[in-house]
Amino acid sequence: MSDVLLEIENLETRIGAGEGAVRAVDGVSLAVRRGETFALLGESGCGKSMTALSIMRLLPAPAGHVVGGRVILEGTDLLGLSEAEMRRVRGGRIGMIFQELMTSLNPVLTIGEQIAETVHMHRRLRGRALRARVLELMDSVGVPSPRRHIGDYPHQLSGGMKQRVMIAIALAGEPQLLIADEPTTALDVTIQAEVLDLLRRLQHETGMALLLITHDLGVVAQMADQVGVMYAGHIVEEAPRAPFFENPHHPYSRKLFESVPTMDKRDRPLAVIPGSVPELTRVFHGCRFVDRCARAWEACREIAPAWRVVADGYRVRCHLYDPAHADGAPEPARVPAPAAVVRPARSDHGADLLRVTDLEIHFPIQSGLFKRISGRVRAVDGVSLAVGVGHTLALVGESGCGKTTVAKGILQLIRPTAGSVRFDGVELTTLRGRALRRRRRDFQIIFQDPFSSMNPRMMIGDIVEEGMVALGLVTDRDARRARVEELLGQVGGLPARARERYPHEFSGGQRQRICIARALAVDPKLIVCDEPTSALDVSVQAQILNLLKRLQGKLGLSYLFITHNLSVVSYLADDVAVMYLGRIVERGAVGEVLEAPCHPYTEALLSAVPVIDEASRREVIRLEGDLPTPVDPPAGCHFHPRCPRAMPVCREHYPGVTRIGEHHEVRCHLHGT
């Protein structure tokens, strides 16, 4: 029996018809072997997800259709099967984990019912046998107390739990191949590590193959056996994992590596890939990467590169490796070292732009006929932090720890229960009405999802202009329009006449640039960035980080940067505060905290980050259970039920602040006196 489980030959998929058809998949060939992980890597819009949907024959109807090629699963061409036969393949022989968790789960069915539906269809179990199999699947993917959660609805589960349920549904038919489409996008690093560990364990136990679709190089380095790099509808490089990460060959792959933010790049701009993925309505004659490649020459524009084998099992589509064309290749351009980023000197406490002291935000829980208060959600429970002029403070922690609530409390979008928020010497918690509105121009926010934070019925010019109108900053209409054009030009990367378009006409990175322009429109001193790069490709993320850093240097902006991406923190931030269950457990200068973490929770977060360099990989520290509820936090140190180094004192007393260095402090009994 061949060790090849799935073989794709010259697959071509079109969306639409005629000259305007999108060539979403344009000649893809690959092979997935039994028990291996094949990682499909590339930017959004390259055709990765469309390749997976073509395999499953789940293309958007009626426009999507496969026009050529073969998809062979153990000798059977899936494209030749009837729809009834294909339904037995989906879920039975091939399972799939979709990217969007909430849209993939039915909100009106319990998770037990959704898992049972797949089990019944492919294994024909009923009654007690069906329920027993559902509980077994829930237990196998790490859902705690399956009997207690089998009747839960999707909205009652955390992101990590939803992902586990999705995996259980995908495994219900005992498939030979699992397709995982961005299974860890926007998940916390600890949950991401758990999901990846789960997938590896299930592969080992069942022998299934995994087709992993992702744009995260760290995840590929951790998971893949074989790597395929996809660009503009087809694969441009394919190699085993080790040689690929040791020396990527295609200029596109190299640029992806150079775009990854790291600590050693923090004093210079990140390398970016100019432009964007080309429109797939085009008919390509030469190399598809030619317009973005620094080493392109005439042959690249006129002749499509063929596959060239550069090592055992390693092939690449690039004229640089083709003896018939390589003679005309230009030498790599010598790019002068970019100027170092000049950072303001660390301010003392008296010069802080923002100082938050003992901030508390508690939400009452009402119950009964008379809505009596029966408890409180301690979302933020005594947070203190400071942001200096022209500095960036990163606030990190798992989802649900209270990061976004802190930001809303600082901006007075939620009124604090207690504590002080002093901004530029003014106590914000005492301001009301017009006095507060006048101060709002000094602080703005960039939300995580740029599309949902813009009115889809408003043109971009009106969206950017809205703040100026609301705060009465620029009363002359022509002057406002001129300011909008200036701002859109300042953030860059937008097409001509962008102000006359609507949000749906832009890519994710362009929408985020528009949101940055909107925040800048009122000339703020502080911008709260709430996960602004969490769902972006590494290349687009590099552009946004460079933009934020450039604007900070030019305008003297301060940032409160909320994220779970510690690579971004290492590149962008001056200081970092680690938050757990409503409290700051460690904070200090970014170099001190990330290179020498003191709190076990910080150590666990750092160990869970997937890294490209094998030598810098840490042993992952496993945390027991999920984040406790802020309604009834654990006694003593809130982290002790999950801490691998907990002591008896941790169960009895919450630790005080211990200063480790001049700019580094921690709340942990391991470092107490």
Side-chain angles (χ1 to χ4, degrees):
M1 182 183 293
S2 170
D3 66 339
V4 175
L5 175 65
L6 177 74
E7 187 172 10
I8 300 174
E9 298 178 355
N10 201 31
L11 181 65
E12 296 183 27
T13 300
R14 301 286 183 269
I15 307 297
E19 294 184 359
V22 177
R23 295 169 171 81
V25 182
D26 199 18
V28 166
S29 298
L30 59 86
V32 183
R33 290 171 173 78
R34 300 173 191 277
E36 82 165 7
T37 297
F38 189 107
L40 202 53
L41 173 70
E43 295 172 284
S44 297
C46 285
K48 306 185 302 297
S49 296
M50 201 57 66
T51 298
L53 295 176
S54 299
I55 294 169
M56 299 290 284
R57 285 176 50 183
L58 290 173
L59 295 168
H65 54 286
V66 176
V67 298
R70 299 198 300 167
V71 178
I72 303 169
L73 180 67
E74 288 191 314
T76 301
D77 187 355
L78 301 184
L79 302 182
L81 298 181
S82 67
E83 180 56 28
E85 292 170 323
M86 193 64 204
R87 278 198 294 269
R88 289 194 289 272
V89 172
R90 296 189 201 106
R93 300 175 67 186
I94 304 177
M96 185 164 179
I97 304 169
F98 295 92
Q99 183 172 353
E100 294 292 338
L101 294 176
M102 281 306 294
T103 57
S104 301
L105 294 172
N106 192 326
V108 300
L109 295 179
T110 67
I111 61 173
E113 291 170 332
Q114 296 183 62
I115 299 171
E117 183 179 31
T118 306
V119 175
H120 172 69
M121 179 175 181
H122 294 285
R123 293 293 172 259
R124 299 301 175 188
L125 298 180
R126 298 177 182 274
R128 292 182 179 178
L130 176 60
R131 179 179 172 83
R133 178 57 179 157
V134 170
L135 292 171
E136 182 183 355
L137 282 165
M138 292 175 66
D139 182 66
S140 71
V141 299
V143 175
S145 307
R147 293 182 185 277
R148 181 160 57 89
H149 289 293
I150 193 171
D152 287 352
Y153 289 88
H155 72 273
Q156 297 175 275
L157 306 179
S158 66
M161 286 280 279
K162 291 189 190 84
Q163 194 63 284
R164 291 174 184 275
V165 171
M166 282 297 304
I167 295 172
I169 293 172
L171 295 176
E174 301 174 17
Q176 301 159 287
L177 171 68
L178 179 63
I179 300 174
D181 188 1
E182 300 280 10
T184 60
T185 295
L187 293 181
D188 301 323
V189 289
T190 51
I191 298 174
Q192 175 178 264
E194 292 173 3
V195 170
L196 296 179
D197 277 353
L198 172 60
L199 291 174
R200 277 196 297 264
R201 176 174 63 80
L202 293 170
Q203 268 191 289
H204 178 74
E205 293 174 356
T206 65
M208 69 179 180
L210 177 63
L211 177 59
L212 177 65
I213 295 171
T214 183
H215 62 254
D216 191 323
L217 282 163
V219 170
V220 175
Q222 190 170 324
M223 293 290 293
D225 298 299
Q226 193 78 4
V227 182
V229 181
M230 196 164 183
Y231 185 79
H234 72 180
I235 295 175
V236 297
E237 186 166 6
E238 185 178 339
R241 175 189 59 193
F244 174 75
F245 279 91
E246 183 179 335
N247 182 25
H249 282 63
H250 198 282
Y252 175 59
S253 304
R254 291 180 177 177
K255 280 294 186 182
L256 290 178
F257 276 77
E258 292 171 6
S259 300
V260 176
T262 57
M263 181 77 76
D264 60 354
K265 299 176 184 177
R266 58 185 281 109
D267 290 327
R268 64 182 188 273
L270 292 169
V272 299
I273 308 176
S276 57
V277 179
E279 294 288 340
L280 298 184
T281 53
R282 288 174 50 183
V283 177
F284 296 96
H285 299 289
C287 174
R288 303 180 182 209
F289 189 59
V290 63
D291 294 332
R292 308 174 73 190
C293 183
R295 299 198 63 188
W297 73 101
E298 290 78 6
C300 302
R301 300 186 182 281
E302 299 169 0
I303 305 169
W307 281 114
R308 303 298 302 179
V309 176
V310 295
D312 185 26
Y314 200 134
R315 59 179 188 158
V316 61
R317 289 184 197 254
C318 183
H319 288 315
L320 290 171
Y321 306 96
D322 189 343
H325 301 289
D327 289 343
E331 291 297 320
R334 292 190 175 184
V335 180
V341 177
V342 179
R343 296 173 179 269
R346 182 181 297 276
S347 59
D348 58 27
H349 292 336
D352 287 331
L353 177 67
L354 173 71
R355 173 152 287 276
V356 179
T357 307
D358 297 330
L359 182 68
E360 295 183 3
I361 301 176
H362 297 171
F363 299 104
I365 301 173
Q366 296 178 324
S367 59
L369 180 63
F370 298 103
K371 302 295 182 182
R372 291 191 174 94
I373 296 176
S374 57
R376 293 185 181 275
V377 178
R378 299 174 179 270
V380 179
D381 200 24
V383 164
S384 297
L385 52 84
V387 183
V389 176
H391 277 72
T392 299
L393 171 68
L395 189 59
V396 303
E398 294 172 285
S399 295
C401 72
K403 304 187 300 295
T404 298
T405 307
V406 166
K408 290 180 178 179
I410 290 171
L411 300 179
Q412 303 303 298
L413 298 175
I414 297 175
R415 282 296 182 179
T417 306
S420 168
V421 179
R422 294 192 68 82
F423 182 87
D424 204 13
V426 176
E427 179 60 50
L428 297 183
T429 59
T430 62
L431 298 182
R432 296 292 188 275
R434 184 175 299 175
L436 178 58
R437 283 196 295 274
R438 281 199 300 266
R439 297 298 308 189
R440 288 203 183 280
R441 66 170 297 178
D442 291 332
F443 40 85
Q444 292 290 298
I445 185 168
I446 302 169
F447 294 97
Q448 179 174 357
D449 184 351
F451 188 65
S452 64
S453 65
M454 290 189 283
N455 190 328
R457 298 180 179 86
M458 291 176 66
M459 288 191 293
I460 298 307
D462 297 327
I463 289 172
V464 176
E465 187 180 338
E466 190 175 19
M468 291 184 279
V469 175
L471 296 176
L473 300 181
V474 182
T475 56
D476 182 73
R477 183 174 179 82
D478 291 336
R480 286 200 305 269
R481 288 188 173 183
R483 175 64 174 152
V484 169
E485 291 292 349
E486 178 188 355
L487 289 165
L488 294 178
Q490 197 171 35
V491 299
L494 300 175
R497 305 181 72 86
R499 68 181 313 278
E500 299 173 7
R501 300 188 182 191
Y502 290 90
H504 72 272
E505 300 180 71
F506 297 88
S507 67
Q510 288 174 328
R511 290 184 195 126
Q512 200 60 285
R513 288 173 182 270
I514 292 166
C515 289
I516 293 172
R518 177 175 61 182
L520 293 174
V522 296
D523 295 323
K525 298 177 181 178
L526 170 74
I527 297 181
V528 175
C529 305
D530 190 1
E531 299 277 12
T533 63
S534 63
L536 299 180
D537 300 321
V538 65
S539 55
V540 180
Q541 174 182 265
Q543 295 173 14
I544 298 300
L545 294 178
N546 283 348
L547 172 61
L548 290 172
K549 187 168 284 191
R550 175 170 60 82
L551 292 171
Q552 185 174 50
K554 181 179 179 180
L555 304 175
L557 295 169
S558 299
Y559 296 133
L560 175 59
F561 200 94
I562 298 171
T563 185
H564 61 255
N565 189 329
L566 292 172
S567 297
V568 170
V569 172
S570 69
Y571 174 73
L572 187 68
D574 299 289
D575 303 287
V576 58
V578 183
M579 193 168 180
Y580 184 81
L581 206 63
R583 298 183 178 181
I584 303 296
V585 297
E586 186 168 5
R587 66 176 180 176
V590 68
E592 295 180 34
V593 174
L594 298 190
E595 293 178 6
C598 293
H599 199 284
Y601 180 58
T602 311
E603 293 176 351
L605 290 179
L606 289 168
S607 74
V609 177
V611 295
I612 297 173
D613 182 12
E614 186 75 29
S616 61
R617 186 169 298 165
R618 306 170 188 242
E619 182 180 354
V620 179
I621 299 173
R622 307 297 176 202
L623 299 181
E624 296 294 329
D626 293 324
L627 192 72
T629 173
V631 176
D632 185 22
C637 174
H638 292 349
F639 185 61
H640 86 260
R642 305 174 72 193
C643 182
R645 302 170 67 184
M647 304 177 292
V649 67
C650 303
R651 298 174 176 84
E652 299 172 2
H653 304 288
Y654 196 87
V657 175
T658 300
R659 188 165 292 279
I660 305 299
E662 184 181 0
H663 302 296
H664 189 180
E665 60 185 38
V666 64
R667 284 181 175 268
C668 181
H669 289 300
L670 291 170
H671 301 276
T673 55

